[in-house]
Amino acid sequence: MLITLFPALHGERDLPLGLLYIAQTLIEHGYQVRIVDLNLHVGKNIDLGRISAIRDADLFGFSSYRYTMSADISIAWQVRLINDSPMIWGGWGPTTNPLLYIRYAPADIIIPGVHMQAPRVMLDVVKCIEKRRDISIVKGIVYRDGDIIVDTGLGEIPDRIPPLKWDIISHVDLALEDYIEDGVLLVPILGALASCPKYYESPCIYCSIGRVISEYKITYGTNRFNELMQRLMQFDVDRIIQDMENAIVYFNDVLKDKLKRISFTLVDDAVTPENFLKLYKKLVENGLINEFSFMKFQTRPEYIPKILKNIRREHRSKFIMDVGFEFFSERDLLFTNRGSNPNMLANILRELSEKRVHWTGYVILATPVTTAEDLEKNINLAINIAYNSDLLRCNPYLLEEDTYIPLKYGWKAIEWKCIKIYSEHGQVTVVVPHRPRFFIGNKEIERMIKVIDYYIEKVEKLREKAFQKASKIIAERGEIDLNDSIGTVTRVYSLGELRDSLMKLRKALVEDYISKERHKAF
Ligand code: SF4
């Protein structure tokens, strides 16, 4: 039986880690698996009918996020015209919105779950289809039976994550060379499934994963929740080291001279200082730290001092910390239940700049309660990060992707948006939740827009200056030295990202302003 898997169409050249785990399970049980990563061909006109993994598949698996839903579904319908084998969907989008996919996608079965439930459930589904058994015996799926939607619950979270056998990449026909950029391959390594302690105490208001995990109490039962919590938080350092060592051997062996440097990204929502220390010690002990270029990982700001304390000076350039600062305004920090405060954040920013480590920072410009003063504080945080870090990532506002906001403030607090989906009936428009509305009045919105207009101009001027400086460096040196000039070059992107976010925020504020005026009129 041939199973062909498709990663979500997000446009990035990332090795599809989640699908590799699924492929590994299926291959170990004697199935043939192919992964067709269309992210490698974005912008090209690909004739899907010429891909044998599509023509010959007995079963398809699609991974999707809500934001890639439109593209994923459109591809799936094209695939169905070529081969009408059953289609199974999983990932964030189908987990949080199974009904949307059942309704609009060629989805025969949905496998909900984003904490490694999928490999086992997928295997059960495949066996069931192969043996032509009734699918209702499989736990962990959602499907349509006539007019009824059947939900058989969630699959099991595994008690341990197996080591990844990288050589399965050779079996699934992935064109590995296409994932290399400038001789560097970024290899994802799975850390803990859900390490952020806040998931289990009081998640941030906009944290979809926090909400999914708190719902596990209902799905799996409170009695089992403690056991599952251990599984989710488990940071199995020996398995992580093994995955890294195996990756170095495998990728060097297969890619040979094409691979100049290997780097890792630790897939873990919030690496804690304790977990970092465990990993760092092992990396140093066995010398593995000298065998890769750098390792990226995500963490919370308050963990930074303890993490930095443990990294020896000579190893600082080995790590890129992605720090979720989010807001600098106290009102926004409180509203979102971030658990940090401006003083603490200021100290951490200072420490990061003084220690001259590599880090990237994430900022959200506004929440529903942000005022003009708050916005200015958040913008200045973003500018600070753009100048002191290697890269700023910025969102204009919170996004509604199954957060606590509608639970707490009702669906009236949510703005919906239309997305176009290409289905079997041509293009259809689907309305999906998009972002929380601004709770503030129109006077405050006017003040915020003034602040935004001022900063759009200011940030654009800063960006132009940064561009000139970066062009000079590149012209003089010919290439970028990671240790001293990456910040100068990436600052252009960071400031561009901030400017674009300001523009998006302005648009959203204007939308809400008009809608509030309309309501007044009635
Ligand atoms: S700190 Fe991050 S991962 Fe943890 S609950 Fe908040 S948003 Fe979620």
Side-chain angles (χ1 to χ4, degrees):
M1 209 174 166
L2 172 65
I3 299 130
T4 297
L5 306 175
F6 291 81
L9 259 175
H10 43 61
E12 307 287 331
R13 287 169 180 250
D14 293 338
L15 280 167
L17 186 65
L19 294 189
L20 290 177
Y21 278 106
I22 293 177
Q24 175 165 307
T25 305
L26 295 172
I27 290 170
E28 279 171 358
H29 285 82
Y31 296 101
Q32 265 189 295
V33 182
R34 299 283 179 270
I35 297 181
V36 176
D37 189 355
L38 295 173
N39 292 299
L40 301 174
H41 309 288
V42 172
K44 293 182 211 154
N45 217 348
I46 296 288
D47 181 355
L48 298 178
R50 296 187 64 177
I51 301 176
S52 62
I54 293 180
R55 278 197 324 267
D56 305 337
D58 299 297
L59 195 74
F60 293 103
F62 284 86
S63 178
S64 183
Y65 297 99
R66 239 260 315 274
Y67 76 94
T68 62
M69 176 183 176
S70 180
D72 300 328
I73 292 180
S74 145
I75 288 293
W77 281 115
Q78 291 174 48
V79 170
R80 181 144 276 190
L81 289 177
I82 300 161
N83 178 341
D84 67 355
S85 292
M87 291 188 171
I88 299 168
W89 289 71
W92 258 110
T95 296
T96 51
N97 294 277
L99 298 185
L100 265 184
Y101 284 82
I102 287 203
R103 175 139 189 229
Y104 296 106
D108 298 293
I109 295 168
I110 304 278
I111 300 181
V114 286
H115 292 115
M116 288 287 271
Q117 291 99 334
R120 180 73 227 180
V121 180
M122 184 78 174
L123 177 65
D124 292 345
V125 169
V126 170
K127 281 183 181 167
C128 206
I129 290 178
E130 187 185 31
K131 296 192 174 130
R132 297 178 187 279
R133 290 207 187 117
D134 183 358
I135 200 75
S136 65
I137 58 168
V138 177
K139 184 167 161 38
I141 56 171
V142 178
Y143 63 98
R144 184 199 287 275
D145 185 0
D147 286 343
I148 301 169
I149 303 295
V150 183
D151 181 345
T152 67
L154 265 183
E156 268 297 304
I157 296 168
D159 56 0
R160 54 174 280 281
I161 300 165
L164 191 58
K165 295 175 191 148
W166 293 102
D167 63 355
I168 55 156
I169 289 180
S170 319
H171 294 95
V172 297
D173 261 5
L174 268 187
L176 207 42
E177 293 84 8
D178 293 345
Y179 293 91
I180 302 180
E181 275 194 68
D182 300 327
V184 182
L185 180 70
L186 190 60
V187 178
I189 300 286
L190 186 56
L193 288 177
S195 54
C196 179
K198 267 175 81 63
Y199 289 145
Y200 310 95
E201 296 156 7
S202 76
C204 305
I205 194 172
Y206 54 92
C207 186
S208 332
I209 308 180
R211 187 172 151 189
V212 165
I213 290 177
S214 58
E215 283 166 5
Y216 283 168
K217 282 189 194 146
I218 304 163
T219 332
Y220 292 106
T222 16
N223 290 346
R224 287 209 59 216
F225 188 70
N226 274 352
E227 177 201 338
L228 293 177
M229 199 168 109
Q230 301 310 321
R231 293 184 186 187
L232 290 166
M233 293 185 83
Q234 189 178 62
F235 189 81
D236 182 358
V237 73
D238 292 327
R239 190 259 314 154
I240 293 171
I241 292 283
Q242 194 182 340
D243 278 355
M244 291 175 72
E245 284 173 344
N246 291 348
I248 290 172
V249 172
Y250 172 73
F251 291 113
N252 275 308
D253 188 38
V254 173
L255 292 165
K256 300 201 165 56
D257 294 349
K258 288 179 199 135
L259 182 62
K260 288 193 197 127
R261 285 179 307 185
I262 190 164
S263 293
F264 293 105
T265 178
L266 191 63
V267 181
D268 188 308
D269 304 324
V271 175
T272 62
E274 297 72 30
N275 288 346
F276 177 78
L277 187 58
K278 276 191 226 165
L279 179 61
Y280 178 65
K281 271 187 175 165
K282 288 259 175 180
L283 290 173
V284 175
E285 257 167 41
N286 66 10
L288 197 59
I289 195 143
N290 301 316
E291 294 189 37
F292 60 88
S293 180
F294 62 83
M295 172 180 254
K296 280 205 300 185
F297 64 90
Q298 212 171 304
T299 190
R300 281 178 57 84
E302 66 267 35
Y303 295 159
I304 291 294
K306 276 195 183 165
I307 289 177
L308 286 183
K309 205 175 89 192
N310 286 313
I311 308 178
R312 283 196 228 146
R313 187 177 286 270
E314 72 261 33
H315 294 145
R316 280 190 193 155
S317 66
K318 286 281 174 180
F319 298 98
I320 301 181
M321 289 164 282
D322 187 21
V323 192
F325 279 92
E326 330 286 79
F327 316 98
F328 202 72
S329 124
E330 191 152 24
R331 195 192 320 269
D332 290 325
L333 290 165
L334 283 173
F335 174 79
T336 53
N337 191 31
R338 275 298 288 169
S340 37
N341 63 66
N343 269 349
M344 179 181 97
L345 296 180
N347 288 337
I348 290 159
L349 272 170
R350 202 170 311 118
E351 186 161 359
L352 280 166
S353 321
E354 284 169 7
K355 291 248 165 84
R356 299 180 66 83
V357 285
H358 288 293
W359 64 284
T360 58
Y362 176 59
V363 174
I364 303 170
L365 294 178
T367 73
V369 299
T370 306
T371 63
E373 282 76 26
D374 299 318
L375 175 61
E376 203 157 3
K377 289 177 191 166
N378 296 337
I379 296 173
N380 280 310
L381 169 68
I383 295 177
N384 187 328
I385 293 176
Y387 275 84
N388 289 300
S389 76
D390 293 291
L391 194 69
L392 162 75
R393 292 180 306 113
C394 189
N395 259 2
Y397 34 70
L398 300 176
L399 291 171
E400 177 39 44
E401 290 185 327
D402 285 83
T403 70
Y404 288 93
I405 295 172
L407 295 187
K408 208 164 169 195
Y409 298 98
W411 281 104
K412 278 198 174 149
I414 303 300
E415 178 72 25
W416 295 58
K417 77 166 178 186
C418 296
I419 57 169
K420 302 234 180 301
I421 293 181
Y422 294 89
S423 76
E424 57 184 333
H425 310 297
Q427 196 183 68
V428 289
T429 302
V430 180
V431 188
V432 291
H434 176 44
R435 62 167 172 85
R437 297 203 167 110
F438 299 101
F439 298 171
I440 43 164
N442 273 357
K443 278 269 165 303
E444 198 55 45
I445 291 188
E446 282 172 17
R447 294 180 66 222
M448 283 174 81
I449 290 176
K450 275 193 191 140
V451 169
I452 292 177
D453 288 344
Y454 168 77
Y455 276 99
I456 287 180
E457 213 183 306
K458 178 171 171 170
V459 169
E460 185 50 22
K461 279 188 189 145
L462 293 174
R463 201 188 70 86
E464 275 165 22
K465 257 195 197 165
F467 179 75
Q468 282 161 11
K469 198 169 169 191
S471 311
K472 213 171 142 205
I473 289 179
I474 293 173
E476 277 168 10
R477 302 195 198 158
E479 70 175 276
I480 303 164
D481 177 351
L482 181 73
N483 284 319
D484 63 5
S485 56
I486 184 108
T488 315
V489 176
T490 54
R491 193 167 301 145
V492 184
Y493 295 100
S494 299
L495 292 167
E497 167 119 344
L498 174 56
R499 179 206 51 203
D500 294 349
S501 293
L502 285 166
M503 285 154 98
K504 284 185 195 151
L505 177 59
R506 190 184 198 285
K507 189 167 170 267
L509 284 165
V510 170
E511 276 167 14
D512 278 21
Y513 184 96
I514 294 170
S515 126
K516 281 174 207 262
E517 286 299 309
R518 273 204 201 119
H519 274 94
K520 267 195 231 159
F522 290 104

